[in-house]
């Protein structure tokens, strides 16, 4: 059985399958899942790590409604034309169905007469018998046609219902997209962004509550090394610096973006005037700070000018594996930064090899203030500063956790228990980035990032 609609010809199987696939594909294309249409701006969590609130906003790509609206209008018109064609097809089918029903009634009557004729052929003239036989042969092919019409009528009814549902869905999508003007949505996003930044500005320094991850960014280099971004750079500046190995090298590689770093597209290579020791370097406000080879001297190197801006010896600080972290690697002197400025962590004979914390001036490298702790530097796996508090891990191997915290604000310490997943079993660099609020790590030849959860207190206008 075939139906003709304009220049298109469909069998029962073809037009059923084609229309069903069309409906499914349209619903798939124009159903916007939250994860594809929305992006998370920020979230806040309480002391137990439970989410308090999450700020989401539509991606800017969703705001360009003109092309999509035009496509939806065209699509809706096509669906409406299809609906009209199916309505014509339905009327034709109903008309033919009525005709065949009449034929069915005639056939039933003929069957009865034919049986009577078969019972008593001798009483009927041969001519009448042949006439009835010919009529029966003519009507026999209509029997499967009748059954097909019954199926087609039900199918047409189903198609009409699906077209009505699809039209309603498309109309709803069109109304939803047309409800907002692009400029209006763009201004709303800008206002939301400003409010979010204002709220983030009121976040005071927080206490470390949880470490999640890691996310593996890349696998490269030797077992030991360092990689970093600048916490004081603008949000548009996402340059990455890469320093492979812990000694006997002066080469620093720069990548314009994190994407370039992942695929290995180097934008610039620097040759430092002095070799470095350890892996505990940082980039801060456009300059590299590192421990000069076989010395307790800290060097400030400018990437912009390609020259040393300052260098200063750290008085009494042990170096060249005198007081390293547990993994060794000349990791005696650890330069780091957080929300409150620049710090250096090391150990001295005067403090019996225990950890010493000094805050230093980023310009002159002069020590501003020093705190002596009672935690052995050689027993520390790694350490990092967040909001003026030094956090020390108990190991660089698997099963590591943040074990000790020393607050420079109160000059007090506490033993804590914050586990984290040491996925590749050997950490040789762990530094906090205040801009990203994340921990950068070099984990056995893998460059990874850990997310941190901080307990924040939000300032109000009434706070002094």
């Amino acid at each position: 059985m075939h139906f003709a609609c304009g220049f298109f010809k469909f069998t029962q199987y073809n037009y059923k399958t084609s229309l069903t696939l069309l409906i499914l594909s349209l619903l798939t294309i124009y159903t916007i899942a939250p994860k594809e249409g929305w992006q998370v701006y920020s979230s806040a969590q309480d002391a137990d790590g439970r989410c308090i609130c999450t700020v989401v906003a539509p991606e800017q790509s969703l705001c360009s409604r003109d092309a999509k609206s035009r496509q939806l209008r065209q699509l809706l018109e096509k669906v409406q034309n299809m609906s009209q064609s199916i309505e014509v097809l339905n009327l034709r089918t109903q008309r033919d169905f009525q005709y065949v029903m009449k034929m069915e009634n005639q056939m039933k009557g003929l069957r009865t007469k034919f049986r009577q004729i078969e019972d008593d052929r001798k009483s009927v003239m041969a001519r009448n018998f042949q006439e009835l036989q010919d009529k029966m042969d003519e009507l026999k092919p209509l029997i499967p046609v009748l059954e097909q019409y019954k199926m087609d009528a039900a199918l047409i009814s189903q198609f009409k219902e699906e077209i009505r549902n699809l039209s309603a869905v498309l109309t709803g999508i069109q109304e939803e997209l047309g409800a907002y003007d692009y400029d209006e949505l763009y201004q709303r996003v800008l206002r939301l962004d400003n409010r979010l930044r204002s709220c983030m500005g009121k976040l005071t320094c927080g206490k470390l509550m949880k470490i999640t991850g890691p996310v593996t960014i890349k696998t490269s280099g030797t077992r030991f090394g360092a990689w970093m971004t600048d916490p004081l750079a603008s949000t548009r500046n996402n340059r990455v610096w890469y320093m492979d190995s812990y000694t006997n090298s002066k080469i620093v590689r720069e990548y314009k973006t994190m994407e370039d770093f992942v695929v290995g597209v180097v934008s610039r290579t620097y040759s430092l005037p002095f070799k470095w020791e350890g892996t505990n370097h940082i980039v801060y406000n456009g300059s590299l700070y590192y421990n000069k080879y076989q010395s307790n001297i800290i060097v400030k190197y400018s990437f912009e000018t390609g020259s040393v801006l300052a260098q200063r010896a750290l008085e009494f600080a042990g170096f060249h594996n005198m007081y390293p972290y547990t993994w060794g690697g000349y990791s005696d002197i650890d330069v780091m930064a957080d929300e409150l400025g620049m710090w250096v962590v090391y150990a001295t004979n005067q403090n019996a090899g225990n950890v010493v914390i000094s805050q230093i001036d980023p310009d002159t490298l002069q020590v501003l203030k020093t705190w002596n702790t009672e935690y052995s530097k050689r027993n520390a796996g790694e350490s990092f500063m967040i909001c003026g508090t030094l956090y020390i891990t108990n190991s660089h191997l698997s099963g590591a956790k943040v074990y000790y915290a020393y607050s420079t604000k109160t000059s007090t310490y506490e033993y804590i228990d914050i586990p984290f997943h040491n996925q590749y079993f050997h950490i040789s660099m762990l530094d906090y980035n205040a801009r990203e609020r994340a921990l950068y790590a070099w984990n056995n030849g893998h460059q990874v990032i850990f997310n941190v959860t901080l307990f924040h207190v939000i300032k109000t206008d009434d706070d002094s």
Side-chain angles (χ1 to χ4, degrees), residues 164-188:
R164 282 194 293 268
N165 294 339
L166 179 58
S167 298
V169 170
L170 293 177
T171 301
I173 294 176
Q174 187 179 37
E175 291 176 352
E176 182 178 352
L177 289 179
Y180 300 101
D181 184 76
Y182 170 80
D183 292 332
E184 178 187 353
L185 275 176
Y186 183 70
Q187 292 301 320
R188 289 178 64 183

Side-chain angles (χ1 to χ4, degrees), residues 419-445:
F420 62 95
H421 183 40
N422 189 347
Q423 184 169 353
Y424 303 107
F425 314 117
H426 192 289
I427 292 178
S428 59
M429 167 251 174
L430 187 64
D431 276 331
Y432 175 69
N433 185 298
R435 183 185 72 167
E436 307 296 337
R437 291 190 175 175
L439 293 172
Y440 282 61
W442 190 292
N443 195 340
N444 208 0

Side-chain angles (χ1 to χ4, degrees), residues 1-3 8-22 82 89 148 152 155 159:
M1 185 66 193
H2 293 76
F3 301 113
F8 298 92
K9 196 171 187 180
F10 301 89
T11 64
Q12 175 198 355
Y13 171 79
N14 287 337
Y15 65 68
K16 179 179 180 181
T17 304
S18 301
L19 186 58
T20 303
L21 290 176
L22 173 63
M82 189 185 303
L89 180 63
Q148 183 66 49
D152 292 342
L155 188 61
F159 284 171

Side-chain angles (χ1 to χ4, degrees), residues 51-311:
C51 182
I52 299 175
C53 65
T54 299
V55 180
V56 297
E59 292 180 352
Q60 293 188 2
S61 60
L62 288 180
C63 297
S64 301
R65 67 176 180 84
D66 296 338
K68 286 188 176 181
S69 297
R70 184 167 56 255
Q71 293 174 357
L72 281 172
R73 286 196 299 271
Q74 294 173 354
L75 185 59
L76 195 56
E77 291 175 0
K78 291 182 180 180
V79 172
Q80 290 172 347
N81 292 337
M82 189 185 303
S83 179
Q84 293 174 359
S85 299
I86 290 181
E87 187 65 35
V88 173
L89 180 63
N90 182 47
L91 293 175
R92 185 178 303 170
T93 302
Q94 292 296 331
R95 183 189 60 199
D96 292 344
F97 179 70
Q98 293 173 1
Y99 170 76
V100 175
M101 289 296 293
K102 293 179 180 179
M103 293 298 99
E104 184 181 31
N105 292 332
Q106 293 181 23
M107 289 170 63
K108 291 179 180 179
L110 287 173
R111 285 195 185 98
T112 302
K113 292 181 179 181
F114 193 73
R115 283 194 296 268
Q116 294 174 353
I117 293 172
E118 290 291 335
D119 293 339
D120 193 6
R121 292 184 182 183
K122 294 181 180 180
S123 61
V124 180
M125 296 176 59
R127 183 178 57 83
N128 292 338
F129 177 81
Q130 187 63 41
E131 181 182 347
L132 291 174
Q133 184 67 50
D134 293 342
K135 189 67 174 178
M136 190 66 183
D137 293 340
E138 180 183 348
L139 293 177
K140 276 184 179 180
L142 290 179
I143 295 176
V145 173
L146 176 64
E147 298 301 325
Q148 183 66 49
Y149 264 114
K150 290 180 179 179
M151 296 175 59
D152 292 342
L155 188 61
I156 291 295
S157 177
Q158 177 184 350
F159 284 171
K160 287 177 62 178
E161 182 65 23
E162 291 179 355
I163 285 293
R164 282 194 293 268
N165 294 339
L166 179 58
S167 298
V169 170
L170 293 177
T171 301
I173 294 176
Q174 187 179 37
E175 291 176 352
E176 182 178 352
L177 289 179
Y180 300 101
D181 184 76
Y182 170 80
D183 292 332
E184 178 187 353
L185 275 176
Y186 183 70
Q187 292 301 320
R188 289 178 64 183
V189 170
L190 288 181
R191 289 194 297 269
L192 178 61
D193 183 65
N194 292 332
R195 290 176 60 191
L196 179 62
R197 293 184 184 277
S198 175
C199 180
M200 294 295 289
K202 293 180 180 180
L203 290 177
T204 61
C205 269
K207 180 179 179 181
L208 179 64
M209 304 301 296
K210 184 170 64 173
I211 300 175
T212 56
V215 176
T216 301
I217 304 300
K218 189 177 181 179
T219 301
S220 64
T222 63
R223 192 177 187 185
F224 317 99
W227 71 294
M228 64 217 80
T229 59
D230 189 343
L232 293 189
S234 67
T235 54
R236 295 182 179 180
N237 183 347
N238 293 312
R239 287 185 294 174
V240 178
W241 289 271
Y242 180 88
M243 301 168 68
D244 192 11
S245 186
Y246 65 88
T247 187
N248 201 32
S249 180
K250 298 193 295 184
I251 302 302
V252 180
R253 293 181 176 85
E254 178 182 287
Y255 303 82
K256 284 186 178 180
T257 64
M258 190 68 75
E259 290 76 13
D260 285 351
F261 174 66
V262 171
V263 298
V265 179
V266 179
S267 63
R268 190 172 177 183
T269 300
Y270 302 89
S271 181
L272 302 177
F274 314 111
K275 296 179 181 179
W276 66 72
E277 257 193 8
T279 58
N280 307 115
H281 337 291
I282 64 166
V283 174
Y284 191 78
N285 199 24
S287 294
L288 172 68
Y289 297 78
Y290 70 97
N291 179 202
K292 185 178 179 180
Y293 180 63
Q294 290 190 339
S295 74
N296 59 6
I297 296 174
I298 300 173
V299 177
K300 177 183 179 181
Y301 174 83
S302 171
F303 287 122
E304 182 178 357
T305 64
S307 60
V308 174
L309 300 183
Q311 53 180 318

